Amino acid sequence: NNVPLFILALGIFIAAEVFSKVVERWAERSLRKKIEDPDTRTFLARAARYAALVLGILAALEQIPGIQITSFLAGLGILGFTIGFALQDIARNFIAGLLLLMRQPFSVGDAVQVAGRDGSVLEITMRDTVIKSWDGVMEIIPNLDVYTNPIINYSELPLRRRTVLIGLGYGEDVDRAKDLILSTIQSTEGVLKDPEPEILTEELGASTLNLAARFWVNQETHNLFAVHSEVVDAINGVAEREGIDMPYPIEVVKLEADLPIETPLS
């Protein structure tokens, strides 16, 4: 008499259905702190529910006489391997998308560099990441390329350092020039006092003594590129007013004595 076994299988199935709903609610609450996108949270929570439900169904089928779960699972494994091999690129991008959504190295609206491309993030899906380049071009990048390459998130930290390279003539008073340029940078709106700006001598160039002026900007309160532009304009202005020599590259040309020009005989 197999009736008790069928009843047991039915009970396991009902319990699995209830348990799968509990798993879905738990996954939804757990993912709420890690993933901002509600559609992604819902998808992952339902995936967890269906995984629990499938396990329960397999446990229920195990109780029914005549059903060989081992053979059934082997058939599913072969089928899954075949489908997975055919769709491996899609599967790899899907898994990379899951990892990106769970780790969250960037969010929509962040300024980033991903897979060697710069721009702001427009959308993050399970298969690809969409960014808008600084030139206004929309680029769709597979998540596998995003996940397997270095990611630079320009928006994650508010303070950004900028560097302006300056070439001084070798006859220039370096200390005087440094003091004037540094005070000019410090007085430019948007340049932070802490960390304070600095000017360091970088190298002895071919025609100039090369300096590097470094300063910090809070990009949450000021436009990074606008402040950089204002600093460059201010340095150029103080150089003109104070007569600071910032020469063009110089080339020395040595002229040889004129040689006679031969003309063909007519």
Side-chain angles (χ1 to χ4, degrees), residues 106 108-109 120-125 128-132 138 143:
F106 50 79
V108 173
S120 58
V121 181
L122 294 180
E123 186 181 6
I124 308 169
T125 69
D128 46 51
T129 298
V130 183
I131 70 170
K132 180 181 179 182
M138 185 179 75
N143 282 331

Side-chain angles (χ1 to χ4, degrees), residues 128-175:
D128 46 51
T129 298
V130 183
I131 70 170
K132 180 181 179 182
S133 72
W134 305 136
D135 297 327
V137 178
M138 185 179 75
E139 299 187 45
I140 302 174
I141 307 172
N143 282 331
L144 183 62
D145 292 343
V146 176
Y147 191 76
T148 55
N149 284 281
I151 298 172
I152 300 176
N153 189 335
Y154 298 112
S155 301
E156 183 67 21
L157 301 176
L159 304 188
R160 291 279 304 279
R161 192 183 76 172
R162 303 294 292 178
T163 300
V164 177
L165 300 178
I166 305 166
L168 292 181
Y170 278 110
E172 185 61 49
D173 185 338
V174 177
D175 292 334

